[in-house]
Each structure stands twice: as structure tokens, then as C-alpha cells.
Amino acid sequence: MSDSQPWTAAPSAAEHARSVLAASWSCAVTAEGGREEFVGAHTVAEDGRVTLDVPEDSTLVAAAICAPRGEPSAVLEFADVAPVPVRSRIRARLWIAGWFVPVDGRLEFTTTRVVLRRPSGAVVVDLDEFAAAEPDPLATAEARLLTHLADCHPDAVERLTRLVDADSLHGAVRVQPLAVDRHGLTLRIERVRAHGDVRLPFHAPADDVARLTERMHVLLTQASAASCPRALQRQRTDRDG
């Protein structure tokens, strides 16, 4: 795709789900009425299958051995947490239902249902689409990229607000980068008692960090050419006073 072509796509539910799975370092497992939290214990295959490495004395092992084969008996939960401190940091939750099979001291998970819950609502992800989808190429680097942008380039974040409709900035007290993927950057606009999100799409997909850098430069150039929103000007005046 040429960089001159418009690009307004967003990740599909299956791609978003796989991105959450790829970036998550921990997961919660509910089985046989119990719930356990595991950190750094799961791996993900290319088709999205999850394998869990748990202690031998974990109640999950006994539950997997005793559970009826072929019947959903466990739910894995993954949280998509914004790396930059903002209100409502949980951007999405991913639930995967199915059952475990003990194999060579590990638990391999067979998936029967995938549900992704985003601020816009919950969606059931088709299993074939989930298996075929690939994580966003920036998923595992997103936390580092966003924290660098927020901590080292707050001036750039403020400049990007020039691309936001003035009405969306009314009453804003803080703006932070909330998410980034190959399709665009999302800003969190916080007010005294509420918040909202605004997405700035890239003109072309950013399939690696080098392309992301170029896409961000394009946005910043566009922002520099735009006038400062009146709402933001008022906020600056109030803050300075």
C-alpha cells in the first residue's frame, strides 16, 4: 500500500484479542469454583492456543485431571491495562473458555469460546478468525512506546491535541496517550469528573517501530500547521493563572 493512500482501518475484534493475548504477562484462571492468578506462566502458539506452566501442587492441575474431557471447565482472563497512568486503566478484557489437558507437566488449553470486552461493549470472537488473526505488530512494544511519549515528549502530546475537535477538549485538565497500534494513536482526554478518548488515525499502516516514527512525524507536522483549539487555550490560561 502506498503511503499516499488513505488509511482509516482499525483492528478487528480477533486482531485486538490476539494483541491483548500477546502483550499480557499475567492471567487469571477460574476453574472448579476457584480462581488463581499466574504471572509469566503462559505461552501462546501461532494459532492462539494457550499453554500454562503451573506448580505441581496447584489446584488447577487436579481440576484439569478430574474435569470431564470435551466440556468447558475453565475460563482464562487477560486484562489489557494502559501503560500510562490514566483513569480507568483497563482498556479491554479478554475471556477464553475451554478446558485444560495435562501434557508433559504443563496444561494445554482447548478453546471453545472467546469474548472480548471493550468500552464499546462485548463481542464474541469467531474461533477460526481468532486462530488465523495475528497480533498487532506494535503490541509487545506499545508499553515502552507510550511511556516514552508521555514521559519524554509531553510537548508533542499537547501539540497533537490541535488535531482534536475543540468540543472534545472542552473542560480538559489532562491529555495522555492511551493506546497505539498499526492503525493509529488514541488519546485519553480527562476532565474533572469524566473522560473521553479520541483516535488519531495514521495515513498508512505502521507495521514496525520505524514506520510508526514516520507516521507520528506526519501527525505532528499536521498538528503544527493547525491552530490551537480555543478550549485548550482556555485551559492553559486557567492553569497559568
Side-chain angles (χ1 to χ4, degrees), residues 5-88:
Q5 292 179 295
W7 181 257
T8 58
S12 68
E15 290 170 337
H16 191 174
R18 289 295 302 272
S19 296
V20 172
L21 192 57
S24 295
W25 181 242
S26 63
C27 72
V29 181
T30 302
E32 295 297 318
R35 180 182 173 91
E36 290 189 67
E37 300 277 349
F38 297 95
V39 177
H42 71 277
T43 55
V44 184
E46 290 187 0
D47 61 358
R49 286 180 298 170
V50 177
T51 299
L52 204 60
D53 189 359
V54 301
E56 293 182 359
D57 59 353
S58 170
T59 57
L60 191 58
V61 176
I65 294 175
C66 298
R69 295 297 176 90
E71 295 183 13
S73 57
V75 176
L76 312 184
E77 179 181 341
F78 301 87
D80 177 20
V81 183
V84 175
V86 293
R87 297 174 187 163
S88 303

Side-chain angles (χ1 to χ4, degrees), residues 4 11 13 20 23 25 39 46 56 62 81 92 94 100 160 164 169 199 210 215 220 236:
S4 63
V20 172
W25 181 242
V39 177
E46 290 187 0
E56 293 182 359
V81 183
L94 176 66
F100 284 109
L160 288 171
V164 178
L169 290 171
R199 187 168 174 82
R215 305 304 184 251
L220 288 168
R236 285 176 176 171

Side-chain angles (χ1 to χ4, degrees), residues 97-162:
W99 68 86
F100 284 109
V101 176
V103 178
D104 298 330
R106 309 185 75 194
L107 297 178
E108 294 186 357
F109 197 72
T110 299
T111 300
T112 58
R113 185 178 176 87
V114 177
V115 177
L116 178 68
R117 183 173 186 83
R118 298 181 279 195
S120 58
V123 57
V124 177
V125 181
D126 180 84
L127 294 182
D128 291 336
E129 292 180 2
F130 179 77
E134 295 183 0
D136 187 89
L138 303 176
T140 57
E142 184 195 25
R144 172 176 56 84
L145 295 168
L146 289 182
T147 54
H148 177 77
L149 178 60
D151 295 343
C152 302
H153 302 285
D155 56 327
V157 176
E158 182 170 314
R159 196 189 324 168
L160 288 171
T161 61
R162 298 184 180 188

Side-chain angles (χ1 to χ4, degrees), residues 157-177:
V157 176
E158 182 170 314
R159 196 189 324 168
L160 288 171
T161 61
R162 298 184 180 188
L163 301 177
V164 178
D165 184 86
D167 290 340
S168 297
L169 290 171
H170 183 72
V173 296
R174 187 173 72 156
V175 179
Q176 290 277 50

